[in-house]
Each structure stands twice: as structure tokens, then as C-alpha cells.
Amino acid sequence: MSVPSLLVPGELSPIRSVPGSIRRPEYVGKPAPTPYTGPEVQTPETIEAMRIAGRIAAQAMEAAAKHIAPGVTTDELDRIAHEFMLDHGAYPSTLGYRGFPKSLCTSVNEVICHGIPDSTVLNDGDIINLDVTAYIGGVHGDNNATYFVGDVDEESKLLVERTRESLNRAIKAVKPGRQINIIGRVIESYAKRFGYGVVRDFTGHGINSSFHSGLIIPHYDSPHATTVIQPGMTFTIEPMLTLGTHEYDMWDDGWTVVTKDRKRTAQFEHTLVVTDTGAEILTLP
């Protein structure tokens, strides 16, 4: 297993096209989305549409993940996910969102989130997060997961496995009548057992017809996250845990977020709908 070097920006390929027959989110071609003013509790019809969007997003991520291997570029993973979503009638939500140029995020090693797919070649021993969101039927479904590239060291494996477990624990904590901060409390208390950093400035979010509705889901125990969880609410939980500090730097591209100490980080995400007794995952393949 080779010793990984720090990531540097690669070359971007041309923006991929989308047939005119596929419905686009309202923000495409605009500098920013129109602020969401609707409810956080969704109708049964919207939730059913989100099941479809969530399933396509999960399947697209799965399709790209099958090609993760040493020697593969992150741009190739973008191509696979892009074509999968188009083949299923969905628009890649990240493409054109606030100017983002690609159809998924590929965050390698020390990249916390929002890595832009490019000519970067994956190496044996890397870890990579794929973040895929699909828009179809007027709604979004958003998920991500961190994967191993070849032979990965034990410390990185444990980080990935424990980040996944922190998401699972947080999902189980979702109950109507509880405050949103229960989610971050569960994640942070679990992560602290292993000395991991918990990223604070990038959060989960409300999602529905809007990619980001304005509802914030912190992954740490925030005293300000007092919104009461209600049946029918739809949002993401997406903890980002690090081997070192939770502090970060941002590349000049305005998107790529890396740990300040350049230590590795992992993330997992699902889109959920709150039920009468807990939460249903909408992003299952």
C-alpha cells in the first residue's frame, strides 16, 4: 500500500449535457436557488415522489461505486453517475447548483465535502466519498457514502466504519416530539469515544422540492437546534468525522473543503422522512 500524498486540483472536463426532455431544478442557470418558503412537513404525494428520487440517487451512487479502483479518475465516476441518472429520467441536482460544474461530489482522503470530479486518479489506499443527489418528479433525493480504494490502512477503515455507525445511531434517535439537536448529540457523543473531530460548519438539511430548504441539521450538540421533529418532515443526516481537527480550509475553487490538518475524514448520508414512530430512509437502492 502506497503512502498517499496530499490532494491537488486536477483538470476539469467539459460540462456534461442533459437532454431537454429532462426537467431541471429552478436554480439551473441562476447564481442561486430561490429561497424555499414552504413547509418542512411534506404531503404523502411529495414523500412518494421523494422515494423515487431517493432510490435513483442511491442506485446512481451504487453504479459509480462499482468502478472505484486504483487508476480510475474521479471524472469517470462522475460520468457513470451522470449517465445513470439521465437513463432513469432524473437530473443530477448538483449540476449547475450555485455554479457547481459536475453531477456528483467526489471527496478523497482529507476532503471533507464538495470535492469536484476531475482528472484526479485514485490510488491504492485512498478513501473516497461519493455524494449523489437526483431530481425527478419535482423533488430531490440526496445520499453519500465513503468507500475504500484498494488496500486501506486500519485507521482509515475504522474511521469509515464508525462514521457509518454514527449515521445509523442518529437515524435511530429520530422520533417525533424530540428536538433536532438529539441528532447531533448522538453523533458527537459517539465520535468523542474515539477522539474524532466532528465537522460543525457543514450540516444536514431540509430537502423536498428544494435541494436545501433552510432547515439545518447539526451533527454536534447545538443548543440552537431546538426545532421539534414532526411526522412528515424530510431532511438529511450526513455526519462528517475526522481523524484530527474539525477545522477546515477551502480551495480556491470555492467548493473543495479540506481538513486544516490534512488528516482524513469520512462521511455518510441518507435522506429521511419522519414517521409516527421514527424515521424511514428514502435513499435505499
Side-chain angles (χ1 to χ4, degrees), residues 162-174 180-199 202-204 217-221 236-242 266 268-269:
R162 289 166 177 166
T163 305
R164 181 193 289 111
E165 175 63 15
S166 77
L167 172 59
N168 293 339
R169 289 176 179 232
I171 292 171
K172 290 176 183 176
V174 174
I180 288 291
N181 56 19
I182 186 65
I183 294 168
R185 189 176 309 139
V186 166
I187 292 168
E188 186 174 40
S189 63
Y190 180 71
K192 280 185 172 179
R193 288 165 51 182
F194 310 105
Y196 295 152
V198 181
V199 173
F202 299 90
T203 67
I217 312 294
H219 301 120
Y220 64 99
D221 187 3
T236 72
I237 303 176
E238 44 189 297
M240 292 153 260
L241 305 187
T242 70
F268 284 84
E269 173 187 23

mmCIF file of all heavy atoms in Angstrom, residues 162-174 180-199 202-204 217-221 236-242 266 268-269:
data_model
loop_
_atom_site.group_PDB
_atom_site.id
_atom_site.type_symbol
_atom_site.label_atom_id
_atom_site.label_comp_id
_atom_site.label_asym_id
_atom_site.label_seq_id
_atom_site.Cartn_x
_atom_site.Cartn_y
_atom_site.Cartn_z
ATOM 1 N N ARG A 162 -16.937 3.658 11.616
ATOM 2 C CA ARG A 162 -17.540 4.367 12.745
ATOM 3 C C ARG A 162 -18.368 5.564 12.287
ATOM 4 O O ARG A 162 -19.365 5.922 12.933
ATOM 5 C CB ARG A 162 -16.440 4.789 13.726
ATOM 6 C CG ARG A 162 -15.847 3.595 14.471
ATOM 7 C CD ARG A 162 -14.559 3.958 15.175
ATOM 8 N NE ARG A 162 -14.041 2.824 15.951
ATOM 9 C CZ ARG A 162 -12.808 2.758 16.457
ATOM 10 N NH1 ARG A 162 -11.944 3.763 16.250
ATOM 11 N NH2 ARG A 162 -12.421 1.710 17.146
ATOM 12 N N THR A 163 -17.989 6.171 11.177
ATOM 13 C CA THR A 163 -18.808 7.258 10.636
ATOM 14 C C THR A 163 -20.150 6.718 10.150
ATOM 15 O O THR A 163 -21.204 7.327 10.396
ATOM 16 C CB THR A 163 -18.070 7.983 9.501
ATOM 17 O OG1 THR A 163 -16.790 8.438 9.962
ATOM 18 C CG2 THR A 163 -18.869 9.187 9.019
ATOM 19 N N ARG A 164 -20.096 5.565 9.505
ATOM 20 C CA ARG A 164 -21.352 4.920 9.092
ATOM 21 C C ARG A 164 -22.216 4.589 10.307
ATOM 22 O O ARG A 164 -23.431 4.816 10.314
ATOM 23 C CB ARG A 164 -21.068 3.637 8.305
ATOM 24 C CG ARG A 164 -22.349 2.932 7.815
ATOM 25 C CD ARG A 164 -22.080 1.532 7.315
ATOM 26 N NE ARG A 164 -21.357 1.521 6.062
ATOM 27 C CZ ARG A 164 -20.100 1.108 5.901
ATOM 28 N NH1 ARG A 164 -19.395 0.673 6.947
ATOM 29 N NH2 ARG A 164 -19.530 1.119 4.716
ATOM 30 N N GLU A 165 -21.594 4.084 11.351
ATOM 31 C CA GLU A 165 -22.329 3.741 12.572
ATOM 32 C C GLU A 165 -22.919 4.990 13.226
ATOM 33 O O GLU A 165 -24.029 4.943 13.781
ATOM 34 C CB GLU A 165 -21.412 3.011 13.544
ATOM 35 C CG GLU A 165 -22.017 2.695 14.903
ATOM 36 C CD GLU A 165 -23.208 1.755 14.851
ATOM 37 O OE1 GLU A 165 -23.428 1.097 13.798
ATOM 38 O OE2 GLU A 165 -23.936 1.676 15.864
ATOM 39 N N SER A 166 -22.209 6.117 13.157
ATOM 40 C CA SER A 166 -22.746 7.342 13.748
ATOM 41 C C SER A 166 -24.019 7.772 13.027
ATOM 42 O O SER A 166 -24.965 8.261 13.664
ATOM 43 C CB SER A 166 -21.704 8.460 13.727
ATOM 44 O OG SER A 166 -21.559 9.040 12.442
ATOM 45 N N LEU A 167 -24.070 7.590 11.714
ATOM 46 C CA LEU A 167 -25.297 7.891 10.972
ATOM 47 C C LEU A 167 -26.416 6.946 11.394
ATOM 48 O O LEU A 167 -27.548 7.379 11.639
ATOM 49 C CB LEU A 167 -25.050 7.782 9.467
ATOM 50 C CG LEU A 167 -26.298 7.896 8.578
ATOM 51 C CD1 LEU A 167 -27.015 9.218 8.775
ATOM 52 C CD2 LEU A 167 -25.925 7.699 7.108
ATOM 53 N N ASN A 168 -26.109 5.660 11.492
ATOM 54 C CA ASN A 168 -27.132 4.691 11.892
ATOM 55 C C ASN A 168 -27.711 5.031 13.261
ATOM 56 O O ASN A 168 -28.932 4.952 13.479
ATOM 57 C CB ASN A 168 -26.536 3.281 11.909
ATOM 58 C CG ASN A 168 -26.160 2.774 10.529
ATOM 59 O OD1 ASN A 168 -26.666 3.267 9.519
ATOM 60 N ND2 ASN A 168 -25.274 1.790 10.466
ATOM 61 N N ARG A 169 -26.842 5.402 14.186
ATOM 62 C CA ARG A 169 -27.306 5.750 15.535
ATOM 63 C C ARG A 169 -28.167 7.017 15.516
ATOM 64 O O ARG A 169 -29.158 7.119 16.258
ATOM 65 C CB ARG A 169 -26.105 5.935 16.469
ATOM 66 C CG ARG A 169 -25.410 4.617 16.791
ATOM 67 C CD ARG A 169 -24.165 4.818 17.637
ATOM 68 N NE ARG A 169 -23.554 3.516 17.928
ATOM 69 C CZ ARG A 169 -23.231 3.077 19.141
ATOM 70 N NH1 ARG A 169 -23.453 3.838 20.205
ATOM 71 N NH2 ARG A 169 -22.692 1.889 19.306
ATOM 72 N N ALA A 170 -27.766 7.974 14.691
ATOM 73 C CA ALA A 170 -28.533 9.212 14.605
ATOM 74 C C ALA A 170 -29.922 8.965 14.033
ATOM 75 O O ALA A 170 -30.913 9.544 14.497
ATOM 76 C CB ALA A 170 -27.777 10.225 13.751
ATOM 77 N N ILE A 171 -30.008 8.112 13.016
ATOM 78 C CA ILE A 171 -31.307 7.799 12.415
ATOM 79 C C ILE A 171 -32.229 7.169 13.459
ATOM 80 O O ILE A 171 -33.417 7.502 13.549
ATOM 81 C CB ILE A 171 -31.130 6.880 11.188
ATOM 82 C CG1 ILE A 171 -30.431 7.642 10.053
ATOM 83 C CG2 ILE A 171 -32.474 6.338 10.712
ATOM 84 C CD1 ILE A 171 -30.016 6.768 8.887
ATOM 85 N N LYS A 172 -31.679 6.271 14.266
ATOM 86 C CA LYS A 172 -32.484 5.617 15.305
ATOM 87 C C LYS A 172 -32.967 6.611 16.365
ATOM 88 O O LYS A 172 -33.979 6.365 17.036
ATOM 89 C CB LYS A 172 -31.673 4.497 15.967
ATOM 90 C CG LYS A 172 -31.423 3.301 15.055
ATOM 91 C CD LYS A 172 -30.535 2.262 15.728
ATOM 92 C CE LYS A 172 -30.238 1.101 14.783
ATOM 93 N NZ LYS A 172 -29.294 0.125 15.389
ATOM 94 N N ALA A 173 -32.263 7.724 16.522
ATOM 95 C CA ALA A 173 -32.630 8.720 17.537
ATOM 96 C C ALA A 173 -33.765 9.633 17.083
ATOM 97 O O ALA A 173 -34.318 10.377 17.896
ATOM 98 C CB ALA A 173 -31.411 9.556 17.907
ATOM 99 N N VAL A 174 -34.082 9.599 15.775
ATOM 100 C CA VAL A 174 -35.132 10.477 15.246
ATOM 101 C C VAL A 174 -36.498 9.977 15.704
ATOM 102 O O VAL A 174 -36.910 8.872 15.355
ATOM 103 C CB VAL A 174 -35.067 10.554 13.708
ATOM 104 C CG1 VAL A 174 -36.249 11.343 13.153
ATOM 105 C CG2 VAL A 174 -33.753 11.166 13.255
ATOM 106 N N ILE A 180 -34.390 18.648 17.187
ATOM 107 C CA ILE A 180 -33.392 18.298 16.180
ATOM 108 C C ILE A 180 -32.024 18.045 16.808
ATOM 109 O O ILE A 180 -31.248 17.218 16.319
ATOM 110 C CB ILE A 180 -33.293 19.426 15.120
ATOM 111 C CG1 ILE A 180 -34.541 19.447 14.206
ATOM 112 C CG2 ILE A 180 -32.025 19.305 14.294
ATOM 113 C CD1 ILE A 180 -34.671 18.270 13.270
ATOM 114 N N ASN A 181 -31.707 18.724 17.933
ATOM 115 C CA ASN A 181 -30.361 18.584 18.492
ATOM 116 C C ASN A 181 -30.064 17.191 19.044
ATOM 117 O O ASN A 181 -28.912 16.872 19.339
ATOM 118 C CB ASN A 181 -30.065 19.663 19.540
ATOM 119 C CG ASN A 181 -31.068 19.708 20.669
ATOM 120 O OD1 ASN A 181 -31.809 18.752 20.909
ATOM 121 N ND2 ASN A 181 -31.088 20.824 21.386
ATOM 122 N N ILE A 182 -31.076 16.331 19.168
ATOM 123 C CA ILE A 182 -30.809 14.945 19.580
ATOM 124 C C ILE A 182 -29.910 14.253 18.563
ATOM 125 O O ILE A 182 -29.089 13.395 18.904
ATOM 126 C CB ILE A 182 -32.127 14.149 19.776
ATOM 127 C CG1 ILE A 182 -31.843 12.758 20.355
ATOM 128 C CG2 ILE A 182 -32.894 14.007 18.474
ATOM 129 C CD1 ILE A 182 -31.261 12.755 21.739
ATOM 130 N N ILE A 183 -30.036 14.650 17.291
ATOM 131 C CA ILE A 183 -29.259 14.025 16.214
ATOM 132 C C ILE A 183 -27.776 14.300 16.413
ATOM 133 O O ILE A 183 -26.944 13.381 16.438
ATOM 134 C CB ILE A 183 -29.756 14.545 14.847
ATOM 135 C CG1 ILE A 183 -31.192 14.070 14.594
ATOM 136 C CG2 ILE A 183 -28.822 14.099 13.723
ATOM 137 C CD1 ILE A 183 -31.880 14.741 13.421
ATOM 138 N N GLY A 184 -27.430 15.570 16.581
ATOM 139 C CA GLY A 184 -26.030 15.924 16.796
ATOM 140 C C GLY A 184 -25.484 15.411 18.110
ATOM 141 O O GLY A 184 -24.311 15.040 18.206
ATOM 142 N N ARG A 185 -26.329 15.356 19.132
ATOM 143 C CA ARG A 185 -25.886 14.869 20.439
ATOM 144 C C ARG A 185 -25.439 13.413 20.333
ATOM 145 O O ARG A 185 -24.396 13.019 20.877
ATOM 146 C CB ARG A 185 -27.012 15.011 21.457
ATOM 147 C CG ARG A 185 -26.603 14.739 22.892
ATOM 148 C CD ARG A 185 -27.764 15.003 23.832
ATOM 149 N NE ARG A 185 -28.339 16.317 23.581
ATOM 150 C CZ ARG A 185 -29.637 16.582 23.573
ATOM 151 N NH1 ARG A 185 -30.518 15.622 23.824
ATOM 152 N NH2 ARG A 185 -30.060 17.796 23.338
ATOM 153 N N VAL A 186 -26.221 12.608 19.613
ATOM 154 C CA VAL A 186 -25.892 11.186 19.444
ATOM 155 C C VAL A 186 -24.606 11.025 18.638
ATOM 156 O O VAL A 186 -23.720 10.230 18.997
ATOM 157 C CB VAL A 186 -27.068 10.456 18.766
ATOM 158 C CG1 VAL A 186 -26.643 9.081 18.279
ATOM 159 C CG2 VAL A 186 -28.237 10.339 19.737
ATOM 160 N N ILE A 187 -24.473 11.782 17.562
ATOM 161 C CA ILE A 187 -23.281 11.672 16.714
ATOM 162 C C ILE A 187 -22.035 12.109 17.471
ATOM 163 O O ILE A 187 -21.011 11.411 17.492
ATOM 164 C CB ILE A 187 -23.453 12.511 15.432
ATOM 165 C CG1 ILE A 187 -24.535 11.895 14.540
ATOM 166 C CG2 ILE A 187 -22.134 12.621 14.666
ATOM 167 C CD1 ILE A 187 -24.991 12.791 13.409
ATOM 168 N N GLU A 188 -22.112 13.270 18.110
ATOM 169 C CA GLU A 188 -20.934 13.813 18.782
ATOM 170 C C GLU A 188 -20.487 12.933 19.954
ATOM 171 O O GLU A 188 -19.281 12.682 20.133
ATOM 172 C CB GLU A 188 -21.220 15.229 19.273
ATOM 173 C CG GLU A 188 -20.000 15.920 19.854
ATOM 174 C CD GLU A 188 -20.274 17.364 20.200
ATOM 175 O OE1 GLU A 188 -21.375 17.673 20.711
ATOM 176 O OE2 GLU A 188 -19.372 18.199 19.968
ATOM 177 N N SER A 189 -21.440 12.425 20.726
ATOM 178 C CA SER A 189 -21.065 11.600 21.874
ATOM 179 C C SER A 189 -20.398 10.306 21.417
ATOM 180 O O SER A 189 -19.449 9.820 22.063
ATOM 181 C CB SER A 189 -22.289 11.297 22.737
ATOM 182 O OG SER A 189 -23.246 10.545 22.026
ATOM 183 N N TYR A 190 -20.871 9.751 20.307
ATOM 184 C CA TYR A 190 -20.254 8.526 19.766
ATOM 185 C C TYR A 190 -18.859 8.835 19.225
ATOM 186 O O TYR A 190 -17.892 8.111 19.522
ATOM 187 C CB TYR A 190 -21.145 7.940 18.678
ATOM 188 C CG TYR A 190 -20.597 6.682 18.046
ATOM 189 C CD1 TYR A 190 -20.553 5.482 18.751
ATOM 190 C CD2 TYR A 190 -20.116 6.695 16.736
ATOM 191 C CE1 TYR A 190 -20.037 4.320 18.165
ATOM 192 C CE2 TYR A 190 -19.618 5.546 16.145
ATOM 193 C CZ TYR A 190 -19.570 4.366 16.868
ATOM 194 O OH TYR A 190 -19.058 3.225 16.291
ATOM 195 N N ALA A 191 -18.721 9.906 18.447
ATOM 196 C CA ALA A 191 -17.424 10.241 17.841
ATOM 197 C C ALA A 191 -16.363 10.541 18.891
ATOM 198 O O ALA A 191 -15.182 10.194 18.725
ATOM 199 C CB ALA A 191 -17.590 11.437 16.904
ATOM 200 N N LYS A 192 -16.765 11.163 19.991
ATOM 201 C CA LYS A 192 -15.800 11.522 21.038
ATOM 202 C C LYS A 192 -15.182 10.299 21.694
ATOM 203 O O LYS A 192 -14.068 10.380 22.224
ATOM 204 C CB LYS A 192 -16.496 12.386 22.095
ATOM 205 C CG LYS A 192 -16.636 13.853 21.704
ATOM 206 C CD LYS A 192 -17.223 14.672 22.845
ATOM 207 C CE LYS A 192 -17.177 16.157 22.536
ATOM 208 N NZ LYS A 192 -17.771 16.975 23.624
ATOM 209 N N ARG A 193 -15.888 9.169 21.651
ATOM 210 C CA ARG A 193 -15.327 7.944 22.227
ATOM 211 C C ARG A 193 -14.027 7.558 21.554
ATOM 212 O O ARG A 193 -13.173 6.883 22.154
ATOM 213 C CB ARG A 193 -16.337 6.794 22.105
ATOM 214 C CG ARG A 193 -17.518 6.939 23.043
ATOM 215 C CD ARG A 193 -18.669 6.025 22.669
ATOM 216 N NE ARG A 193 -18.299 4.624 22.482
ATOM 217 C CZ ARG A 193 -19.148 3.667 22.121
ATOM 218 N NH1 ARG A 193 -20.437 3.970 21.941
ATOM 219 N NH2 ARG A 193 -18.744 2.438 21.971
ATOM 220 N N PHE A 194 -13.845 7.978 20.308
ATOM 221 C CA PHE A 194 -12.664 7.580 19.524
ATOM 222 C C PHE A 194 -11.730 8.760 19.262
ATOM 223 O O PHE A 194 -10.751 8.618 18.535
ATOM 224 C CB PHE A 194 -13.125 6.973 18.200
ATOM 225 C CG PHE A 194 -14.176 5.909 18.373
ATOM 226 C CD1 PHE A 194 -15.512 6.178 18.070
ATOM 227 C CD2 PHE A 194 -13.858 4.662 18.884
ATOM 228 C CE1 PHE A 194 -16.494 5.208 18.251
ATOM 229 C CE2 PHE A 194 -14.826 3.691 19.074
ATOM 230 C CZ PHE A 194 -16.157 3.974 18.760
ATOM 231 N N GLY A 195 -12.043 9.917 19.837
ATOM 232 C CA GLY A 195 -11.203 11.084 19.642
ATOM 233 C C GLY A 195 -11.341 11.734 18.284
ATOM 234 O O GLY A 195 -10.457 12.496 17.863
ATOM 235 N N TYR A 196 -12.442 11.464 17.581
ATOM 236 C CA TYR A 196 -12.637 12.039 16.252
ATOM 237 C C TYR A 196 -13.160 13.466 16.338
ATOM 238 O O TYR A 196 -13.899 13.828 17.259
ATOM 239 C CB TYR A 196 -13.648 11.215 15.446
ATOM 240 C CG TYR A 196 -13.216 9.803 15.124
ATOM 241 C CD1 TYR A 196 -14.165 8.796 14.936
ATOM 242 C CD2 TYR A 196 -11.871 9.466 14.987
ATOM 243 C CE1 TYR A 196 -13.791 7.504 14.626
ATOM 244 C CE2 TYR A 196 -11.484 8.176 14.684
ATOM 245 C CZ TYR A 196 -12.444 7.192 14.504
ATOM 246 O OH TYR A 196 -12.062 5.909 14.199
ATOM 247 N N GLY A 197 -12.785 14.268 15.353
ATOM 248 C CA GLY A 197 -13.394 15.573 15.193
ATOM 249 C C GLY A 197 -14.745 15.441 14.521
ATOM 250 O O GLY A 197 -14.957 14.536 13.709
ATOM 251 N N VAL A 198 -15.663 16.328 14.879
ATOM 252 C CA VAL A 198 -16.993 16.365 14.264
ATOM 253 C C VAL A 198 -17.137 17.705 13.549
ATOM 254 O O VAL A 198 -17.126 18.758 14.195
ATOM 255 C CB VAL A 198 -18.110 16.206 15.314
ATOM 256 C CG1 VAL A 198 -19.478 16.230 14.648
ATOM 257 C CG2 VAL A 198 -17.923 14.923 16.114
ATOM 258 N N VAL A 199 -17.250 17.663 12.237
ATOM 259 C CA VAL A 199 -17.341 18.895 11.451
ATOM 260 C C VAL A 199 -18.616 19.648 11.827
ATOM 261 O O VAL A 199 -19.697 19.071 11.875
ATOM 262 C CB VAL A 199 -17.300 18.578 9.941
ATOM 263 C CG1 VAL A 199 -17.566 19.835 9.120
ATOM 264 C CG2 VAL A 199 -15.943 17.972 9.578
ATOM 265 N N PHE A 202 -20.606 22.356 8.269
ATOM 266 C CA PHE A 202 -21.348 21.743 7.162
ATOM 267 C C PHE A 202 -22.311 20.744 7.787
ATOM 268 O O PHE A 202 -21.900 19.906 8.605
ATOM 269 C CB PHE A 202 -20.390 21.098 6.157
ATOM 270 C CG PHE A 202 -19.450 22.107 5.558
ATOM 271 C CD1 PHE A 202 -18.227 22.381 6.154
ATOM 272 C CD2 PHE A 202 -19.810 22.829 4.429
ATOM 273 C CE1 PHE A 202 -17.360 23.333 5.637
ATOM 274 C CE2 PHE A 202 -18.951 23.791 3.888
ATOM 275 C CZ PHE A 202 -17.727 24.040 4.492
ATOM 276 N N THR A 203 -23.564 20.818 7.413
ATOM 277 C CA THR A 203 -24.619 20.150 8.165
ATOM 278 C C THR A 203 -25.550 19.366 7.261
ATOM 279 O O THR A 203 -25.483 19.453 6.037
ATOM 280 C CB THR A 203 -25.460 21.199 8.916
ATOM 281 O OG1 THR A 203 -26.177 21.994 7.944
ATOM 282 C CG2 THR A 203 -24.599 22.121 9.769
ATOM 283 N N GLY A 204 -26.460 18.618 7.892
ATOM 284 C CA GLY A 204 -27.602 18.095 7.184
ATOM 285 C C GLY A 204 -28.592 19.222 6.938
ATOM 286 O O GLY A 204 -28.442 20.337 7.447
ATOM 287 N N ILE A 217 -29.569 20.712 10.138
ATOM 288 C CA ILE A 217 -29.411 19.529 10.992
ATOM 289 C C ILE A 217 -27.945 19.450 11.431
ATOM 290 O O ILE A 217 -27.107 18.853 10.747
ATOM 291 C CB ILE A 217 -29.814 18.235 10.249
ATOM 292 C CG1 ILE A 217 -31.156 18.384 9.539
ATOM 293 C CG2 ILE A 217 -29.806 17.051 11.221
ATOM 294 C CD1 ILE A 217 -32.350 18.557 10.458
ATOM 295 N N PRO A 218 -27.570 20.060 12.580
ATOM 296 C CA PRO A 218 -26.179 19.986 13.034
ATOM 297 C C PRO A 218 -25.805 18.563 13.446
ATOM 298 O O PRO A 218 -26.646 17.790 13.913
ATOM 299 C CB PRO A 218 -26.145 20.929 14.240
ATOM 300 C CG PRO A 218 -27.392 21.745 14.155
ATOM 301 C CD PRO A 218 -28.401 20.871 13.475
ATOM 302 N N HIS A 219 -24.524 18.255 13.299
ATOM 303 C CA HIS A 219 -24.024 16.931 13.682
ATOM 304 C C HIS A 219 -23.293 16.972 15.025
ATOM 305 O O HIS A 219 -22.673 15.991 15.427
ATOM 306 C CB HIS A 219 -23.127 16.379 12.585
ATOM 307 C CG HIS A 219 -23.839 16.262 11.265
ATOM 308 N ND1 HIS A 219 -23.418 16.921 10.135
ATOM 309 C CD2 HIS A 219 -24.979 15.605 10.935
ATOM 310 C CE1 HIS A 219 -24.254 16.656 9.151
ATOM 311 N NE2 HIS A 219 -25.202 15.876 9.606
ATOM 312 N N TYR A 220 -23.386 18.100 15.703
ATOM 313 C CA TYR A 220 -22.886 18.234 17.070
ATOM 314 C C TYR A 220 -24.058 18.704 17.929
ATOM 315 O O TYR A 220 -25.114 19.091 17.413
ATOM 316 C CB TYR A 220 -21.719 19.214 17.133
ATOM 317 C CG TYR A 220 -22.098 20.629 16.759
ATOM 318 C CD1 TYR A 220 -22.360 21.584 17.731
ATOM 319 C CD2 TYR A 220 -22.206 21.013 15.414
ATOM 320 C CE1 TYR A 220 -22.720 22.879 17.393
ATOM 321 C CE2 TYR A 220 -22.560 22.301 15.059
ATOM 322 C CZ TYR A 220 -22.819 23.229 16.053
ATOM 323 O OH TYR A 220 -23.187 24.514 15.719
ATOM 324 N N ASP A 221 -23.875 18.678 19.216
ATOM 325 C CA ASP A 221 -24.965 19.018 20.130
ATOM 326 C C ASP A 221 -25.128 20.535 20.195
ATOM 327 O O ASP A 221 -24.504 21.197 21.016
ATOM 328 C CB ASP A 221 -24.677 18.441 21.519
ATOM 329 C CG ASP A 221 -25.853 18.617 22.478
ATOM 330 O OD1 ASP A 221 -26.898 19.126 22.037
ATOM 331 O OD2 ASP A 221 -25.717 18.228 23.649
ATOM 332 N N THR A 236 -31.941 15.536 5.573
ATOM 333 C CA THR A 236 -30.781 14.647 5.514
ATOM 334 C C THR A 236 -30.044 14.671 6.841
ATOM 335 O O THR A 236 -30.053 15.663 7.562
ATOM 336 C CB THR A 236 -29.786 15.056 4.412
ATOM 337 O OG1 THR A 236 -29.095 16.253 4.801
ATOM 338 C CG2 THR A 236 -30.488 15.269 3.079
ATOM 339 N N ILE A 237 -29.396 13.561 7.149
ATOM 340 C CA ILE A 237 -28.371 13.499 8.195
ATOM 341 C C ILE A 237 -27.103 13.040 7.499
ATOM 342 O O ILE A 237 -27.130 12.044 6.760
ATOM 343 C CB ILE A 237 -28.745 12.529 9.325
ATOM 344 C CG1 ILE A 237 -30.095 12.905 9.945
ATOM 345 C CG2 ILE A 237 -27.657 12.522 10.395
ATOM 346 C CD1 ILE A 237 -30.580 11.925 11.014
ATOM 347 N N GLU A 238 -25.983 13.743 7.700
ATOM 348 C CA GLU A 238 -24.772 13.422 6.938
ATOM 349 C C GLU A 238 -23.506 13.740 7.731
ATOM 350 O O GLU A 238 -22.748 14.645 7.378
ATOM 351 C CB GLU A 238 -24.774 14.175 5.603
ATOM 352 C CG GLU A 238 -25.199 15.636 5.683
ATOM 353 C CD GLU A 238 -25.394 16.267 4.310
ATOM 354 O OE1 GLU A 238 -24.414 16.350 3.554
ATOM 355 O OE2 GLU A 238 -26.525 16.671 4.008
ATOM 356 N N PRO A 239 -23.257 13.014 8.826
ATOM 357 C CA PRO A 239 -22.100 13.313 9.673
ATOM 358 C C PRO A 239 -20.782 13.217 8.930
ATOM 359 O O PRO A 239 -20.567 12.326 8.105
ATOM 360 C CB PRO A 239 -22.192 12.250 10.771
ATOM 361 C CG PRO A 239 -23.000 11.148 10.168
ATOM 362 C CD PRO A 239 -23.985 11.826 9.275
ATOM 363 N N MET A 240 -19.893 14.164 9.255
ATOM 364 C CA MET A 240 -18.526 14.197 8.733
ATOM 365 C C MET A 240 -17.585 14.103 9.927
ATOM 366 O O MET A 240 -17.531 15.038 10.747
ATOM 367 C CB MET A 240 -18.292 15.499 7.963
ATOM 368 C CG MET A 240 -19.085 15.602 6.673
ATOM 369 S SD MET A 240 -19.444 17.323 6.186
ATOM 370 C CE MET A 240 -21.155 17.479 6.776
ATOM 371 N N LEU A 241 -16.878 13.004 10.054
ATOM 372 C CA LEU A 241 -15.953 12.794 11.159
ATOM 373 C C LEU A 241 -14.514 12.827 10.637
ATOM 374 O O LEU A 241 -14.247 12.426 9.502
ATOM 375 C CB LEU A 241 -16.222 11.461 11.848
ATOM 376 C CG LEU A 241 -17.651 11.220 12.351
ATOM 377 C CD1 LEU A 241 -17.713 9.933 13.151
ATOM 378 C CD2 LEU A 241 -18.184 12.394 13.156
ATOM 379 N N THR A 242 -13.600 13.295 11.483
ATOM 380 C CA THR A 242 -12.211 13.451 11.070
ATOM 381 C C THR A 242 -11.269 12.762 12.051
ATOM 382 O O THR A 242 -11.585 12.591 13.228
ATOM 383 C CB THR A 242 -11.826 14.944 10.995
ATOM 384 O OG1 THR A 242 -11.774 15.485 12.317
ATOM 385 C CG2 THR A 242 -12.841 15.738 10.171
ATOM 386 N N ALA A 266 -14.293 11.145 6.861
ATOM 387 C CA ALA A 266 -15.282 10.281 6.208
ATOM 388 C C ALA A 266 -16.675 10.853 6.438
ATOM 389 O O ALA A 266 -16.904 11.622 7.384
ATOM 390 C CB ALA A 266 -15.204 8.854 6.750
ATOM 391 N N PHE A 268 -21.152 9.900 5.717
ATOM 392 C CA PHE A 268 -22.267 9.094 5.207
ATOM 393 C C PHE A 268 -23.539 9.917 5.314
ATOM 394 O O PHE A 268 -23.686 10.727 6.241
ATOM 395 C CB PHE A 268 -22.416 7.786 5.995
ATOM 396 C CG PHE A 268 -21.388 6.751 5.644
ATOM 397 C CD1 PHE A 268 -20.136 6.767 6.246
ATOM 398 C CD2 PHE A 268 -21.656 5.773 4.694
ATOM 399 C CE1 PHE A 268 -19.171 5.831 5.919
ATOM 400 C CE2 PHE A 268 -20.696 4.824 4.354
ATOM 401 C CZ PHE A 268 -19.451 4.852 4.969
ATOM 402 N N GLU A 269 -24.475 9.685 4.392
ATOM 403 C CA GLU A 269 -25.700 10.489 4.358
ATOM 404 C C GLU A 269 -26.889 9.678 3.841
ATOM 405 O O GLU A 269 -26.753 8.881 2.914
ATOM 406 C CB GLU A 269 -25.499 11.684 3.429
ATOM 407 C CG GLU A 269 -26.756 12.508 3.183
ATOM 408 C CD GLU A 269 -26.554 13.579 2.122
ATOM 409 O OE1 GLU A 269 -25.645 13.432 1.275
ATOM 410 O OE2 GLU A 269 -27.319 14.563 2.122
#
